[in-house]
Amino acid sequence: MGKMRLDKFLGHMGFGSRKELGALIRAGRVTVDGMTVTDPATPVDPAGGGVAVDGRPVAFQRHFHVLLHKPAGVITATEDPRQPTVMEVLPPELRRRDLFPVGRLDKETEGLLLLTTDGTLAHRLLSPRWHQPKRYLAQVDAPLGPGDEAAFAAGIALEDGYVTLPGQLEIVGPQEGIVTIYEGKYHQVRRMFAALGKRVVYLRRLSMGPLVLGDLPRGAARPLTEAEVEALYASASLSHP
C-alpha cells in the first residue's frame, strides 16, 4: 500500500470527519514518526506504524468488526428517518460510515449483532452454503415438547411453503428453548414456531458462528478481539487480510 494523506488515514481509522480531523491535526495533537505535524495533507505510510494521536499509536487496520448486544426497540439498519437504528446505539468511537450490520435482527429481537466493513466476509457469513450456526434463546406462549424438537430436527414448512434446513431445539424450560439454525430467512425463528402453533414472546441471539454474546450488557458494543477475528475468517474459509 502506498502513502496516503494523514487526514484520510485517520478518517479510515474512525477518528472523525474530514473537518474534525483537520481541527485535530492543526491543534498539534498528531505526531508522525515522533514529530508533531499540523498539515492534514501530510503523506504517511499506513503500514508504517508511525502515527500517534495524543501520544497513542494508531495501528492500521484494513477492516473493522464490532460486536453489539442489540436491544429491543431499534431496527437493524444503518439509517432510517423514522426509527432508531443500531448505528445510533454504538458509542461514538465505534461509529464509522462504512460499517454495516451482518444480517438482521428484527426490531423486538435482542442479542448478538455483528457489524463489519468487510463485504466479502459478510456475504460468506450469511450464505447457507457456509452453514454458520446461529443460536437463540426463545420464550414462547405455549408448552414445548419432544414433537417440537423433532420438527426442528426435520426442518419446518413455513407459511409460504419454504421448508427450512434442519435445525435444533433444546428445551430448557416449559416454554423456553435454545434454537440453532443454519440460515437466516426473514423472521425465521418466529415463523418456525408459528408453524408449530406457538408465538415467540421473547427472542435473544446468543451466538453466530464462533462469536458468542457472553456477558456483554444489553446496548453495549465492543471491537472483536484478534482471536475472534481470526476465528471468524477461518469459519468463512477466508484468509484474514
Side-chain angles (χ1 to χ4, degrees), residues 131-165:
H131 299 291
Q132 291 286 340
K134 293 176 272 289
R135 295 174 63 248
Y136 297 80
L137 173 68
Q139 297 172 350
V140 296
D141 65 350
L144 295 168
D148 299 307
E149 292 178 318
F152 269 82
I156 294 174
L158 303 181
E159 80 289 344
D160 60 1
Y162 177 80
V163 179
T164 68
L165 293 176

Side-chain angles (χ1 to χ4, degrees), residues 182-203:
Y182 299 89
E183 53 192 335
K185 298 295 181 183
Y186 180 71
H187 287 180
Q188 182 171 334
V189 174
R190 296 181 186 276
R191 292 165 68 200
M192 291 173 81
F193 277 112
L196 302 178
K198 298 173 174 63
R199 183 174 65 87
V200 172
V201 296
Y202 176 78
L203 191 62

